[in-house]
Coordinates of all heavy atoms in Angstrom, one line a residue:
M24 N 65.2 7.4 45.8 CA 63.9 7.3 46.5 C 63.9 8.2 47.7 O 65.0 8.6 48.1 CB 63.7 5.8 46.8 CG 64.6 5.1 47.7 SD 64.3 5.0 49.5 CE 62.6 5.0 49.7
F25 N 62.7 8.5 48.2 CA 62.7 9.2 49.4 C 61.7 8.5 50.4 O 60.9 7.7 50.0 CB 62.2 10.7 49.2 CG 60.8 10.9 48.8 CD1 59.8 11.1 49.7 CD2 60.5 10.9 47.4 CE1 58.5 11.3 49.3 CE2 59.2 11.1 47.0 CZ 58.2 11.3 48.0
A26 N 62.0 8.8 51.6 CA 61.2 8.2 52.7 C 60.5 9.2 53.5 O 61.2 10.3 53.8 CB 62.1 7.3 53.6
L27 N 59.3 9.0 53.9 CA 58.5 9.9 54.7 C 58.0 9.2 55.9 O 57.2 8.2 55.7 CB 57.4 10.6 53.9 CG 56.4 11.4 54.6 CD1 57.0 12.7 55.2 CD2 55.2 11.7 53.7
I28 N 58.3 9.6 57.1 CA 57.7 9.1 58.3 C 57.0 10.3 59.0 O 57.7 11.3 59.3 CB 58.8 8.5 59.3 CG1 59.5 7.4 58.6 CG2 58.1 8.0 60.5 CD1 60.7 6.9 59.4
R29 N 55.7 10.2 59.2 CA 55.0 11.2 59.9 C 54.7 10.8 61.3 O 54.5 9.7 61.6 CB 53.6 11.5 59.1 CG 53.9 12.1 57.7 CD 52.6 12.6 57.1 NE 51.5 11.7 57.2 CZ 50.2 12.1 57.3 NH1 49.9 13.4 57.4 NH2 49.2 11.2 57.5
Y30 N 54.7 11.9 62.2 CA 54.5 11.7 63.6 C 53.4 12.6 64.1 O 53.3 13.8 63.6 CB 55.7 12.0 64.4 CG 56.9 11.1 64.1 CD1 57.8 11.4 63.1 CD2 57.1 10.0 64.9 CE1 58.9 10.6 62.8 CE2 58.2 9.2 64.6 CZ 59.1 9.5 63.6 OH 60.2 8.7 63.4
A31 N 52.5 12.2 65.0 CA 51.6 13.0 65.7 C 52.1 13.2 67.1 O 52.2 12.3 67.9 CB 50.2 12.3 65.7
V32 N 52.6 14.4 67.4 CA 53.3 14.7 68.6 C 52.5 15.7 69.5 O 52.3 16.9 69.1 CB 54.7 15.3 68.3 CG1 55.5 15.6 69.5 CG2 55.4 14.4 67.3
P33 N 52.1 15.3 70.7 CA 51.5 16.2 71.6 C 52.4 17.4 72.0 O 53.7 17.2 72.1 CB 51.2 15.4 72.8 CG 51.3 13.9 72.4 CD 52.3 13.9 71.2
E34 N 51.9 18.5 72.2 CA 52.7 19.7 72.5 C 53.7 19.5 73.6 O 54.8 19.9 73.6 CB 51.8 20.9 72.7 CG 52.6 22.2 72.9 CD 53.3 22.7 71.6 OE1 52.8 22.4 70.5 OE2 54.4 23.3 71.8
A35 N 53.2 18.8 74.6 CA 54.0 18.5 75.8 C 55.3 17.7 75.5 O 56.2 17.7 76.3 CB 53.2 17.8 76.9
R36 N 55.3 17.0 74.4 CA 56.4 16.1 74.0 C 57.3 16.7 72.9 O 58.2 16.0 72.4 CB 55.9 14.7 73.6 CG 55.3 14.0 74.8 CD 55.1 12.5 74.6 NE 56.3 11.8 74.3 CZ 56.3 10.6 73.8 NH1 55.1 9.9 73.6 NH2 57.4 9.9 73.5
T37 N 57.0 17.9 72.5 CA 57.8 18.5 71.4 C 59.3 18.5 71.6 O 60.0 18.1 70.7 CB 57.2 19.9 71.1 OG1 55.8 19.8 70.7 CG2 58.0 20.6 70.0
A38 N 59.7 19.0 72.7 CA 61.2 19.1 73.0 C 61.8 17.7 73.0 O 62.9 17.5 72.4 CB 61.5 19.8 74.3
E39 N 61.2 16.8 73.7 CA 61.7 15.4 73.7 C 61.7 14.8 72.3 O 62.7 14.2 71.8 CB 60.8 14.5 74.6 CG 61.0 13.1 74.5 CD 59.9 12.2 75.1 OE1 58.9 12.8 75.6 OE2 60.0 11.0 75.0
F40 N 60.7 15.0 71.5 CA 60.6 14.5 70.2 C 61.7 15.1 69.3 O 62.3 14.3 68.5 CB 59.2 14.8 69.6 CG 59.1 14.5 68.1 CD1 58.9 13.2 67.6 CD2 59.2 15.5 67.1 CE1 58.9 12.9 66.3 CE2 59.2 15.3 65.8 CZ 59.0 14.0 65.4
T41 N 61.8 16.4 69.3 CA 62.8 17.0 68.4 C 64.2 16.5 68.7 O 65.0 16.3 67.7 CB 62.8 18.5 68.4 OG1 62.9 19.0 69.7 CG2 61.4 19.0 67.8
G42 N 64.6 16.3 69.9 CA 65.9 15.8 70.3 C 66.1 14.4 69.8 O 67.1 14.1 69.2
Q43 N 65.1 13.5 69.9 CA 65.2 12.2 69.5 C 65.1 12.1 67.9 O 65.9 11.3 67.3 CB 64.0 11.3 70.0 CG 64.2 11.1 71.5 CD 63.0 10.4 72.2 OE1 61.9 10.7 71.8 NE2 63.3 9.4 73.0
A44 N 64.4 13.0 67.3 CA 64.3 13.0 65.8 C 65.7 13.4 65.3 O 66.1 12.9 64.2 CB 63.2 13.9 65.3
R45 N 66.3 14.3 65.9 CA 67.7 14.8 65.5 C 68.7 13.6 65.6 O 69.5 13.4 64.7 CB 68.2 16.0 66.2 CG 67.5 17.2 65.8 CD 68.1 18.5 66.5 NE 67.5 19.7 66.0 CZ 66.6 20.4 66.7 NH1 66.2 20.0 67.9 NH2 66.1 21.5 66.2
A46 N 68.5 12.8 66.6 CA 69.4 11.6 66.8 C 69.1 10.6 65.7 O 70.1 10.0 65.1 CB 69.2 11.0 68.1
I47 N 67.9 10.4 65.3 CA 67.5 9.5 64.2 C 68.2 10.0 62.9 O 68.8 9.3 62.2 CB 66.0 9.4 64.0 CG1 65.4 8.7 65.2 CG2 65.6 8.7 62.7 CD1 63.9 8.8 65.3
L48 N 68.0 11.3 62.6 CA 68.6 11.9 61.4 C 70.1 11.7 61.4 O 70.7 11.4 60.3 CB 68.3 13.4 61.3 CG 66.9 13.7 60.8 CD1 66.6 15.2 60.9 CD2 66.7 13.3 59.4
G49 N 70.8 11.8 62.5 CA 72.2 11.6 62.6 C 72.6 10.2 62.3 O 73.6 10.0 61.6
T50 N 71.9 9.3 62.9 CA 72.2 7.9 62.6 C 71.9 7.5 61.2 O 72.8 6.8 60.6 CB 71.3 7.0 63.5 OG1 71.6 7.3 64.9 CG2 71.5 5.5 63.3
L51 N 70.8 8.0 60.6 CA 70.5 7.7 59.2 C 71.6 8.3 58.3 O 72.0 7.7 57.3 CB 69.1 8.2 58.8 CG 68.0 7.5 59.5 CD1 66.7 8.1 59.2 CD2 68.0 6.0 59.1
A52 N 72.0 9.6 58.6 CA 73.0 10.3 57.8 C 74.3 9.5 57.7 O 75.1 9.6 56.7 CB 73.2 11.7 58.3
A53 N 74.6 8.7 58.7 CA 75.9 8.0 58.8 C 75.8 6.7 58.0 O 76.8 6.0 57.8 CB 76.3 7.7 60.2
Q54 N 74.7 6.3 57.4 CA 74.5 5.1 56.7 C 74.8 5.2 55.2 O 74.6 6.3 54.6 CB 73.0 4.6 56.9 CG 72.6 4.4 58.3 CD 73.6 3.6 59.1 OE1 73.9 2.5 58.8 NE2 74.0 4.1 60.2
P55 N 75.3 4.1 54.6 CA 75.6 4.1 53.2 C 74.3 4.4 52.4 O 73.2 4.0 52.7 CB 76.1 2.7 52.9 CG 76.5 2.2 54.2 CD 75.7 2.8 55.2
G56 N 74.5 5.2 51.3 CA 73.4 5.5 50.4 C 72.5 6.7 50.8 O 71.6 7.1 50.1
H57 N 72.8 7.3 52.0 CA 72.0 8.4 52.5 C 72.4 9.6 51.7 O 73.6 9.9 51.5 CB 72.3 8.7 54.0 CG 71.6 9.8 54.5 ND1 72.1 11.1 54.6 CD2 70.3 9.9 55.1 CE1 71.2 11.9 55.1 NE2 70.2 11.2 55.4
L58 N 71.4 10.4 51.2 CA 71.7 11.6 50.4 C 71.4 12.9 51.3 O 72.2 13.8 51.2 CB 70.9 11.6 49.1 CG 71.1 10.5 48.2 CD1 70.1 10.5 47.0 CD2 72.6 10.5 47.7
R59 N 70.3 12.9 51.9 CA 69.9 14.1 52.8 C 68.7 13.7 53.7 O 68.0 12.8 53.4 CB 69.7 15.3 52.0 CG 68.4 15.3 51.1 CD 68.3 16.5 50.1 NE 69.5 16.6 49.3 CZ 69.7 16.0 48.2 NH1 68.9 15.1 47.8 NH2 70.8 16.2 47.5
G60 N 68.6 14.5 54.7 CA 67.4 14.3 55.6 C 67.0 15.6 56.2 O 67.7 16.5 56.4
R61 N 65.7 15.6 56.5 CA 65.1 16.8 57.1 C 64.0 16.5 58.1 O 63.3 15.4 58.0 CB 64.4 17.7 56.0 CG 65.3 18.2 55.0 CD 64.6 19.0 54.0 NE 65.5 19.5 52.9 CZ 65.3 19.4 51.7 NH1 64.1 19.0 51.2 NH2 66.1 19.9 50.8
L62 N 63.8 17.3 59.1 CA 62.7 17.2 60.0 C 61.8 18.5 59.8 O 62.4 19.6 59.8 CB 63.2 17.2 61.4 CG 62.1 17.1 62.5 CD1 61.3 15.8 62.4 CD2 62.8 17.2 63.9
G63 N 60.5 18.3 59.6 CA 59.6 19.4 59.4 C 58.4 19.3 60.3 O 58.0 18.2 60.7
R64 N 57.8 20.5 60.5 CA 56.6 20.6 61.3 C 55.5 21.3 60.5 O 55.8 22.3 59.8 CB 56.9 21.4 62.6 CG 55.8 21.5 63.5 CD 56.2 22.3 64.7 NE 55.3 22.1 65.9 CZ 55.5 22.6 67.1 NH1 56.5 23.4 67.3 NH2 54.6 22.3 68.0
S65 N 54.3 20.7 60.5 CA 53.2 21.3 59.7 C 52.9 22.7 60.2 O 52.8 23.0 61.4 CB 52.0 20.4 59.9 OG 50.9 21.1 59.3
V66 N 52.8 23.6 59.2 CA 52.4 25.0 59.5 C 51.0 25.1 59.9 O 50.5 26.1 60.5 CB 52.8 26.0 58.4 CG1 54.3 26.0 58.2 CG2 52.1 25.6 57.1
D67 N 50.2 24.1 59.4 CA 48.7 24.2 59.7 C 48.3 23.4 60.9 O 47.3 23.7 61.6 CB 48.0 23.6 58.5 CG 48.2 24.5 57.2 OD1 48.2 25.7 57.4 OD2 48.5 23.9 56.2
E68 N 49.0 22.3 61.2 CA 48.7 21.5 62.4 C 50.1 21.2 63.1 O 50.8 20.3 62.8 CB 48.2 20.1 61.9 CG 46.8 20.2 61.3 CD 46.2 18.9 60.9 OE1 46.3 17.9 61.8 OE2 45.7 18.7 59.8
P69 N 50.4 22.1 64.1 CA 51.7 22.0 64.8 C 52.0 20.7 65.4 O 53.2 20.4 65.7 CB 51.6 23.1 65.8 CG 50.4 23.9 65.6 CD 49.5 23.1 64.6
G70 N 51.0 19.8 65.7 CA 51.3 18.5 66.2 C 51.7 17.5 65.2 O 52.0 16.4 65.6
L71 N 51.7 17.9 63.9 CA 52.1 16.9 62.9 C 53.5 17.2 62.4 O 53.8 18.3 62.0 CB 51.1 17.0 61.7 CG 51.2 16.1 60.5 CD1 51.1 14.6 61.0 CD2 50.2 16.4 59.5
W72 N 54.3 16.2 62.4 CA 55.7 16.4 62.1 C 56.1 15.3 61.0 O 55.4 14.3 60.8 CB 56.6 16.1 63.3 CG 56.6 17.1 64.3 CD1 55.5 17.3 65.2 CD2 57.5 18.1 64.6 NE1 55.8 18.3 66.1 CE2 57.1 18.8 65.7 CE3 58.8 18.4 64.1 CZ2 57.8 19.9 66.3 CZ3 59.5 19.5 64.6 CH2 59.0 20.2 65.7
A73 N 57.1 15.6 60.2 CA 57.6 14.7 59.1 C 59.1 14.6 59.1 O 59.8 15.6 59.2 CB 57.1 15.2 57.8
L74 N 59.6 13.4 59.1 CA 61.0 13.1 58.9 C 61.1 12.6 57.5 O 60.6 11.6 57.1 CB 61.4 12.1 59.9 CG 62.9 11.9 60.1 CD1 63.3 11.6 61.5 CD2 63.4 10.8 59.2
V75 N 61.9 13.4 56.7 CA 62.0 13.0 55.3 C 63.5 12.8 55.0 O 64.3 13.6 55.3 CB 61.5 14.2 54.4 CG1 61.6 13.8 52.9 CG2 60.0 14.6 54.7
T76 N 63.7 11.7 54.3 CA 65.1 11.3 54.0 C 65.1 10.9 52.5 O 64.2 10.4 52.0 CB 65.7 10.2 54.8 OG1 64.8 9.1 54.8 CG2 65.9 10.7 56.3
E77 N 66.3 11.1 51.9 CA 66.5 10.7 50.5 C 67.6 9.7 50.4 O 68.6 9.9 51.1 CB 66.8 11.9 49.6 CG 65.6 12.9 49.5 CD 65.8 14.0 48.6 OE1 66.4 13.9 47.5 OE2 65.5 15.2 49.0
W78 N 67.5 8.7 49.5 CA 68.4 7.6 49.5 C 68.8 7.3 48.0 O 68.0 7.5 47.1 CB 67.8 6.4 50.1 CG 67.5 6.7 51.6 CD1 66.3 7.2 52.1 CD2 68.3 6.5 52.7 NE1 66.4 7.4 53.4 CE2 67.7 6.9 53.8 CE3 69.6 6.0 52.8 CZ2 68.2 6.9 55.1 CZ3 70.2 5.9 54.1 CH2 69.5 6.4 55.2
E79 N 69.9 6.6 47.9 CA 70.3 6.1 46.5 C 69.4 5.0 46.0 O 69.3 4.8 44.9 CB 71.8 5.7 46.6 CG 72.7 6.8 46.7 CD 74.2 6.4 46.8 OE1 74.5 5.2 46.4 OE2 75.0 7.1 47.3
G80 N 68.7 4.3 46.9 CA 67.8 3.2 46.6 C 67.1 2.7 47.8 O 67.5 2.9 48.9
A81 N 66.1 1.9 47.5 CA 65.3 1.4 48.6 C 66.1 0.4 49.5 O 65.8 0.4 50.7 CB 64.0 0.6 48.1
G82 N 67.0 -0.3 49.0 CA 67.8 -1.3 49.8 C 68.6 -0.5 50.8 O 68.7 -1.0 52.0
F83 N 69.2 0.6 50.4 CA 70.0 1.4 51.4 C 69.0 1.9 52.5 O 69.4 1.9 53.7 CB 70.6 2.6 50.7 CG 71.7 2.3 49.8 CD1 71.5 2.4 48.4 CD2 72.9 1.9 50.3 CE1 72.6 2.1 47.5 CE2 74.0 1.6 49.4 CZ 73.8 1.7 48.0
Y84 N 67.9 2.4 52.2 CA 66.9 2.9 53.2 C 66.5 1.7 54.1 O 66.5 1.9 55.4 CB 65.7 3.4 52.5 CG 64.6 3.8 53.4 CD1 64.7 4.7 54.4 CD2 63.3 3.1 53.3 CE1 63.7 5.0 55.3 CE2 62.3 3.4 54.2 CZ 62.5 4.4 55.2 OH 61.5 4.7 56.1
R85 N 66.2 0.6 53.6 CA 65.7 -0.5 54.5 C 66.9 -1.0 55.4 O 66.6 -1.2 56.6 CB 65.2 -1.7 53.6 CG 64.0 -1.2 52.8 CD 63.2 -2.3 52.3 NE 62.2 -2.0 51.3 CZ 61.1 -1.2 51.6 NH1 60.9 -0.7 52.7 NH2 60.3 -1.0 50.6
R86 N 68.1 -1.0 54.9 CA 69.2 -1.4 55.8 C 69.5 -0.3 56.9 O 69.8 -0.6 58.0 CB 70.5 -1.6 55.0 CG 70.4 -3.0 54.3 CD 71.7 -3.3 53.6 NE 72.0 -2.5 52.4 CZ 71.5 -2.6 51.2 NH1 70.6 -3.6 51.0 NH2 71.8 -1.8 50.2
A87 N 69.3 1.0 56.5 CA 69.5 2.1 57.4 C 68.5 2.0 58.5 O 68.8 2.4 59.7 CB 69.4 3.4 56.7
L88 N 67.2 1.6 58.2 CA 66.2 1.5 59.3 C 66.6 0.5 60.3 O 66.4 0.8 61.5 CB 64.9 1.1 58.7 CG 64.1 2.1 57.9 CD1 62.8 1.5 57.3 CD2 63.8 3.3 58.8
S89 N 67.3 -0.5 59.9 CA 67.8 -1.5 60.9 C 68.8 -0.9 61.8 O 68.8 -1.1 63.0 CB 68.4 -2.7 60.2 OG 67.4 -3.5 59.6
A90 N 69.7 -0.1 61.3 CA 70.7 0.6 62.0 C 70.2 1.7 63.0 O 70.7 1.9 64.1 CB 71.8 1.3 61.1
A91 N 69.0 2.3 62.6 CA 68.4 3.3 63.4 C 67.3 2.8 64.3 O 66.7 3.6 65.1 CB 67.9 4.4 62.5
R92 N 67.1 1.5 64.3 CA 66.0 0.9 65.1 C 66.0 1.4 66.6 O 64.9 1.8 67.1 CB 66.1 -0.6 65.0 CG 65.1 -1.3 65.8 CD 65.3 -2.8 65.7 NE 66.7 -3.1 65.6 CZ 67.2 -4.2 65.0 NH1 66.4 -5.1 64.5 NH2 68.5 -4.4 64.9
M93 N 67.1 1.4 67.2 CA 67.1 1.8 68.7 C 66.8 3.3 68.9 O 66.2 3.6 69.8 CB 68.5 1.4 69.3 CG 68.7 -0.1 69.3 SD 67.4 -1.1 70.1 CE 67.5 -0.6 71.7
D94 N 67.3 4.1 67.9 CA 67.0 5.5 68.0 C 65.5 5.8 67.8 O 64.9 6.7 68.3 CB 67.8 6.3 67.0 CG 69.3 6.4 67.4 OD1 69.6 6.4 68.6 OD2 70.1 6.6 66.5
M95 N 64.9 5.0 66.9 CA 63.5 5.2 66.5 C 62.5 4.6 67.5 O 61.4 5.1 67.6 CB 63.3 4.5 65.1 CG 64.1 5.2 64.0 SD 63.9 4.4 62.4 CE 62.4 5.3 61.8
Y96 N 62.9 3.6 68.3 CA 62.0 2.9 69.2 C 61.2 3.8 70.1 O 60.0 3.7 70.2 CB 62.8 1.9 70.0 CG 61.9 1.0 70.8 CD1 61.1 0.0 70.3 CD2 61.8 1.3 72.2 CE1 60.2 -0.7 71.1 CE2 61.0 0.5 73.0 CZ 60.2 -0.5 72.4 OH 59.3 -1.2 73.2
P97 N 61.9 4.8 70.8 CA 61.1 5.7 71.7 C 60.0 6.5 71.0 O 59.1 6.9 71.7 CB 62.1 6.6 72.3 CG 63.4 5.9 72.1 CD 63.3 5.1 70.8
L98 N 60.1 6.7 69.7 CA 59.0 7.5 69.0 C 58.0 6.6 68.3 O 57.1 7.2 67.6 CB 59.7 8.4 68.0 CG 60.7 9.4 68.6 CD1 61.3 10.3 67.5 CD2 60.1 10.2 69.7
M99 N 58.1 5.3 68.4 CA 57.2 4.4 67.7 C 55.7 4.7 68.0 O 54.9 4.7 67.1 CB 57.5 3.0 68.0 CG 58.8 2.5 67.5 SD 58.6 2.1 65.8 CE 59.9 0.8 65.6
T100 N 55.4 5.1 69.2 CA 54.0 5.3 69.5 C 53.4 6.6 68.9 O 52.2 6.8 68.8 CB 53.8 5.4 71.1 OG1 54.6 6.5 71.6 CG2 54.1 4.1 71.7
L101 N 54.3 7.5 68.4 CA 53.9 8.7 67.8 C 53.9 8.6 66.3 O 53.3 9.5 65.7 CB 54.9 9.8 68.2 CG 55.1 10.1 69.7 CD1 56.2 11.2 69.9 CD2 53.8 10.5 70.3
M102 N 54.4 7.5 65.7 CA 54.4 7.4 64.3 C 53.0 7.2 63.8 O 52.1 6.5 64.4 CB 55.2 6.1 63.9 CG 56.6 6.3 63.9 SD 57.4 4.7 63.3 CE 59.1 5.2 63.4
I103 N 52.7 7.7 62.6 CA 51.5 7.5 61.9 C 51.7 6.3 61.0 O 52.6 6.3 60.1 CB 51.0 8.7 61.1 CG1 50.7 9.9 62.1 CG2 49.8 8.4 60.2 CD1 50.5 11.2 61.4
N104 N 50.9 5.2 61.2 CA 51.1 4.0 60.4 C 50.6 4.1 59.0 O 49.4 4.1 58.8 CB 50.5 2.8 61.2 CG 50.8 1.5 60.5 OD1 51.7 1.4 59.8 ND2 50.0 0.5 60.9
E105 N 51.6 4.3 58.1 CA 51.2 4.4 56.6 C 52.5 4.1 55.8 O 53.6 4.2 56.4 CB 50.7 5.8 56.3 CG 51.8 6.9 56.6 CD 51.2 8.3 56.5 OE1 50.0 8.5 56.1 OE2 52.0 9.3 56.7
P106 N 52.3 3.7 54.6 CA 53.5 3.5 53.7 C 54.4 4.7 53.7 O 53.9 5.8 53.7 CB 52.9 3.2 52.3 CG 51.5 2.7 52.6 CD 51.1 3.5 53.8
G107 N 55.7 4.5 53.7 CA 56.6 5.6 53.8 C 57.7 5.7 52.8 O 58.5 6.6 52.8
A108 N 57.9 4.7 52.0 CA 59.0 4.6 51.0 C 58.4 5.0 49.6 O 57.4 4.3 49.2 CB 59.7 3.3 51.0
F109 N 59.0 5.9 48.9 CA 58.5 6.4 47.7 C 59.5 6.5 46.6 O 60.6 7.0 46.8 CB 57.9 7.8 47.8 CG 56.7 7.9 48.8 CD1 56.9 8.1 50.1 CD2 55.4 7.8 48.3 CE1 55.9 8.1 51.0 CE2 54.4 7.8 49.2 CZ 54.6 8.0 50.5
E110 N 59.2 6.0 45.4 CA 60.1 6.1 44.2 C 59.8 7.4 43.6 O 58.7 7.8 43.4 CB 59.7 5.0 43.3 CG 60.4 5.0 42.0 CD 59.9 3.9 41.0 OE1 58.9 3.3 41.2 OE2 60.6 3.8 40.0
V111 N 60.9 8.1 43.2 CA 60.7 9.4 42.6 C 60.4 9.1 41.1 O 61.1 8.4 40.4 CB 62.0 10.3 42.7 CG1 61.9 11.5 41.9 CG2 62.3 10.5 44.1
V112 N 59.3 9.7 40.6 CA 58.9 9.5 39.2 C 59.0 10.8 38.4 O 59.0 10.8 37.2 CB 57.5 8.9 39.1 CG1 57.5 7.5 39.7 CG2 56.5 9.7 39.7
A113 N 59.1 11.9 39.1 CA 59.2 13.2 38.4 C 59.8 14.2 39.4 O 59.7 14.1 40.6 CB 57.9 13.7 37.9
G114 N 60.5 15.2 38.9 CA 61.1 16.2 39.8 C 62.1 17.1 39.1 O 62.4 16.9 37.9
E115 N 62.6 18.1 39.8 CA 63.6 19.0 39.3 C 65.0 18.5 39.7 O 65.1 17.9 40.8 CB 63.4 20.4 39.8 CG 62.0 21.0 39.4 CD 61.8 22.3 40.0 OE1 62.8 23.0 40.3 OE2 60.6 22.7 40.1
S116 N 66.0 18.8 39.0 CA 67.3 18.4 39.3 C 68.0 19.5 40.2 O 67.7 20.6 40.2 CB 68.2 18.3 38.1 OG 67.7 17.2 37.3

């Protein structure tokens, strides 16, 4: 499964955001079941960012969120509130 968390980040907070997002990725990467993670910025809307991670299963992801809670807390106000856990139904190997 993969997880997508989108953020709306004002330009003035970009440096702070990227540092904290890297810390989140590091914490998540250390959790069981983590496969990979990325941070991306929209090429069309520079204030829109996405943190994308891949997991062996939803249970691993949900437990990892608990471990990363303290790293994620400072960015909560920037999160876009929407479902973020997705089951892969098609794709390339």
